[in-house]
Amino acid sequence: MEPIVSAHNISLSFDQGHNVLRDVNFELLPGSFHFLTGPSGAGKSSLLRMLYLSEKPTGGYIRMFGNRLDDMPKKNLPNVRRRIGVVFQDFRLLKHLSALDNVALPLRLVGGKKKQIIDHVRELLSWVGLDDRMHAFPDSLSGGEQQRVAIARAVVSKPLLLLADEPTGNVDDKMAIRLMRLFEELNKMGTAVLIATHNEQLISKFSHPVMCLDQGRLQTNRDKAA
Amino acid sequence: MKPLLSKGRKSSQELPLQRDDNARFMPWIMAVMVFLLALSLAFAMATHAAIKEWNAALTTTVTIQIPAPSVADAKSDILELRVQKIVEYLKSVNGIASVNPVDPTESVELLSTWLGEGNIKKELPIPRLIDVTMSDDAELDLTELEEKIAGLVPGATLDDHKMWMDEVLAFGKRVVNASFTVAGLVAFATFIMVIFATRSGLVTHHRTIELLHIMGARNGYIAGQFARNAFWVGFFGGLVGLICAAGLIYGLSQAFSDIAQGLLPDWHLRLRALAFIALLPLIAGTVAMLTAGSTVLSKLSRIL
């Protein structure tokens, strides 16, 4: 099976000579589920930023959905990004839009039909348990509710790859487990999931493979299922 | 029942451009700019048209002046006879369309503008004037004509207004050029202002723009939101500026008509100029839209 993402000796360094990532290699298969862990400053967020095309590696290259990103014309990058869902630690919801409008955003960007958008968004908000909070604005939602809206937004366009950067960082343990179950449900539908977290306790509750970053290097690839 | 998806311009935009600082000030700045632009353009176009019409009217007109007779002859009809003599001659000249002796009371009225009502005594030796209008295609030799009438009535002169018209025309052209330059500078300042306001908007909303990019928004989609917002800001601001300018232009043209009646050419906006000025809000909106859109596209094309 061809991987949907493969990183080939990727590195990232800043002008000051600080190396954030060094010779990182890995592959993500379709429908896989991985944790990405490591201490703060290990480069987890930087690696995710490269995977959701917000940052370019300064060395090596990434293949995604069969194409090398560094060879790809800029105008084609939005098409790649549309196949990726991203969940942020700080949710990054648009405060002037309701939960419904926030979730509808990725579909609006591709010019979806209003009726279809509404049906799909309602269904998703119901799936994350927010059918009674559709018209609420982010500031009136709790942290857990905001993160569920963010997850619904990340998966609304049925991405092939879901990237989550510390998605449980701002919620309590009970909510963290609930959110992880949502990611697993999504994974069962065929979406590859990569979750960056430094929460070892949470990781230990699930049997998914773990990639560990330390000082910019991918140190281990623990397969807890093995 | 609440709408399922937000409707309307304000709520449906992902970038809350109507809520930042630019949104508060830009319409007013645009209003002031369009106000200044409308005034300078109106002044330039009305002055240009007035001078053109005045010039056209005066190049086919000459005035013949017959000096008042000496005191000894003042009570005789000698002046009237001299006027008749010249009128008869002029009517026989080919290329002259009309000959109109100016009534002495009209001359007194013209003078009273300068000397004051009732200050002109009957004994004042006022020369008689004859307005002569030439055919448009006439090719009269004015020097020869002046020599002829001077031969008929010694001291009679012909004034083709050329000397002082040339000066007035040169001054008028300078005024028109200066007004168009002011209009150009205001337009340029508006253009620069829109660019800086757009750049400021890009900085203010950079996190939202990054988020939209991550979701797969194309640069054109983001530029479109800036462009649409800039259009409405330019259009509504421009409309306010135009309404204010229209009031002022109307007031000034009325005041000018009252003051300059009979002395200076009619100063008002012609239909084409009016139509152009009426379109200023639309033009301001369109220019702002194109400027904002291209600024955003240019900036976004430099990032990943």
Side-chain angles (χ1 to χ4, degrees):
Chain A
M1 193 187 292
E2 193 185 349
I4 53 168
V5 180
S6 57
H8 301 265
N9 297 315
I10 56 168
S11 55
L12 179 68
S13 54
F14 294 127
D15 293 341
Q16 299 89 339
H18 173 58
N19 293 316
V20 183
L21 293 169
R22 279 180 280 195
D23 296 325
V24 173
N25 291 284
F26 67 89
E27 286 183 347
L28 297 178
L29 293 173
S32 62
F33 195 121
H34 288 81
F35 285 111
L36 175 66
T37 189
S40 293
K44 301 188 294 292
S45 295
S46 297
L47 182 58
L48 286 192
R49 282 180 65 79
M50 282 196 274
L51 293 178
Y52 58 72
L53 280 62
S54 261
E55 194 112 45
K56 274 183 180 173
T58 49
Y61 66 92
I62 298 171
R63 283 184 74 84
M64 205 173 255
F65 312 121
N67 299 299
R68 266 180 74 149
L69 295 180
D70 54 342
D71 284 346
M72 196 177 276
K74 261 187 182 181
K75 65 180 170 76
N76 292 348
L77 293 179
N79 293 334
V80 177
R81 291 185 176 117
R82 287 172 189 180
R83 297 156 91 176
I84 305 168
V86 186
V87 180
F88 303 93
Q89 181 178 6
D90 58 354
F91 323 129
R92 292 185 73 169
L93 299 176
L94 301 185
K95 294 187 180 210
H96 63 288
L97 298 183
S98 67
L100 196 85
D101 284 326
N102 265 289
V103 177
L105 205 49
L107 298 178
R108 276 184 167 173
L109 293 180
V110 294
K113 286 187 178 153
K114 202 170 172 182
K115 173 81 172 63
Q116 288 172 346
I117 294 177
I118 291 167
D119 290 346
H120 192 42
V121 170
R122 291 183 78 162
E123 192 185 320
L124 259 179
L125 281 171
S126 177
W127 177 66
V128 296
L130 288 173
D131 30 6
D132 58 336
R133 305 287 281 149
M134 286 188 190
H135 299 289
F137 285 83
D139 282 344
S140 67
L141 297 171
S142 69
E145 286 173 329
Q146 287 189 52
Q147 192 58 296
R148 279 183 280 160
V149 173
I151 291 170
R153 185 183 64 187
V155 302
V156 73
S157 53
K158 300 186 175 112
L160 293 174
L161 173 65
L162 181 80
L163 304 169
D165 190 5
E166 303 281 4
T168 57
N170 285 327
V171 296
D172 59 36
D173 289 349
K174 200 173 157 191
M175 181 53 70
I177 297 289
R178 203 171 156 195
L179 294 178
M180 290 306 300
R181 296 287 176 222
L182 282 177
F183 289 130
E184 284 190 317
E185 273 185 57
L186 187 73
N187 178 242
K188 278 177 198 160
M189 290 186 260
T191 300
V193 177
L194 177 62
I195 294 177
T197 179
H198 63 269
N199 188 343
E200 291 281 351
Q201 205 184 353
L202 182 78
I203 293 170
S204 67
K205 290 187 174 126
F206 297 87
S207 58
H208 302 297
V210 180
M211 299 193 294
C212 185
L213 267 175
D214 193 13
Q215 295 185 334
R217 287 184 190 278
L218 200 56
Q219 299 280 6
T220 53
N221 193 341
R222 290 183 280 153
D223 190 343
K224 297 186 78 170
Chain B
M1 192 177 154
K2 286 184 179 178
L4 281 168
L5 284 177
S6 299
K7 287 177 184 170
R9 188 167 61 85
K10 282 198 171 183
S11 52
S12 64
Q13 287 208 334
E14 290 78 39
L15 291 165
L17 297 169
Q18 294 85 11
R19 298 168 192 225
D20 60 27
D21 285 345
N22 283 338
R24 250 174 287 160
F25 301 116
M26 274 302 284
W28 293 108
I29 294 173
M30 287 301 281
V32 172
M33 289 303 196
V34 170
F35 174 78
L36 294 174
L37 196 60
L39 280 189
S40 47
L41 281 176
F43 189 74
M45 291 193 283
T47 307
H48 177 73
I51 286 174
K52 203 173 156 189
E53 280 180 20
W54 204 25
N55 187 30
L58 290 179
T59 47
T60 55
T61 308
V62 292
T63 305
I64 289 165
Q65 185 176 299
I66 303 163
S70 61
V71 181
D73 299 331
K75 288 184 179 173
S76 69
D77 292 336
I78 192 162
L79 185 58
E80 193 57 39
L81 289 170
R82 286 174 179 173
V83 170
Q84 286 303 321
K85 200 173 177 183
I86 290 182
V87 168
E88 275 168 29
Y89 166 70
L90 290 171
K91 282 183 176 172
S92 67
V93 176
N94 276 338
I96 289 181
S98 69
V99 180
N100 297 307
V102 177
D103 194 274
T105 52
E106 267 184 63
S107 299
V108 170
E109 270 176 38
L110 282 172
L111 278 175
S112 64
T113 311
W114 305 102
L115 302 177
E117 202 80 38
N119 289 337
I120 300 162
K121 293 180 179 172
K122 282 184 181 174
E123 302 80 46
L124 193 70
I126 298 172
R128 287 294 303 273
L129 303 172
I130 303 169
D131 283 338
V132 180
T133 307
M134 293 170 288
S135 319
D136 290 340
D137 54 351
E139 288 179 4
L140 280 174
D141 182 342
L142 294 178
T143 315
E144 195 185 324
L145 188 66
E146 187 170 24
E147 280 170 8
K148 281 272 185 193
I149 58 169
L152 290 172
V153 175
T157 56
L158 182 146
D159 182 5
D160 62 359
H161 322 294
K162 191 171 176 358
M163 198 174 76
W164 66 275
M165 256 315 283
D166 283 350
E167 284 175 20
V168 170
L169 283 178
F171 175 73
K173 277 181 189 168
R174 278 198 289 274
V175 169
V176 170
N177 288 341
S179 305
F180 276 126
T181 305
V182 170
L185 286 174
V186 172
F188 180 70
T190 311
F191 176 74
I192 297 292
M193 210 178 55
V194 172
I195 290 177
F196 278 98
T198 306
R199 285 185 181 179
S200 145
L202 282 170
V203 172
T204 306
H205 300 289
H206 78 277
R207 269 178 68 82
T208 308
I209 291 168
E210 189 196 30
L211 181 71
L212 294 175
H213 262 157
I214 290 168
M215 288 179 188
R218 294 189 185 280
N219 290 347
Y221 183 89
I222 295 164
Q225 296 212 359
F226 275 91
R228 270 193 297 280
N229 183 64
F231 175 81
W232 290 113
V233 166
F235 181 74
F236 285 120
L239 207 57
V240 172
L242 180 69
I243 290 167
C244 296
L248 191 61
I249 291 166
Y250 179 76
L252 281 177
S253 85
Q254 289 300 308
F256 190 84
S257 299
D258 292 346
I259 294 166
Q261 213 164 22
L263 290 174
L264 290 167
D266 193 15
W267 191 90
H268 68 269
L269 282 168
R270 276 58 179 176
L271 198 62
R272 201 182 294 178
L274 266 176
F276 181 73
I277 288 173
L279 285 174
L280 276 182
L282 196 64
I283 294 169
T286 308
V287 171
M289 178 180 80
L290 295 174
T291 308
S294 56
T295 305
V296 174
L297 281 178
S298 150
K299 278 274 172 193
L300 294 185
S301 67
R302 280 177 236 157
I303 60 175
L304 187 72

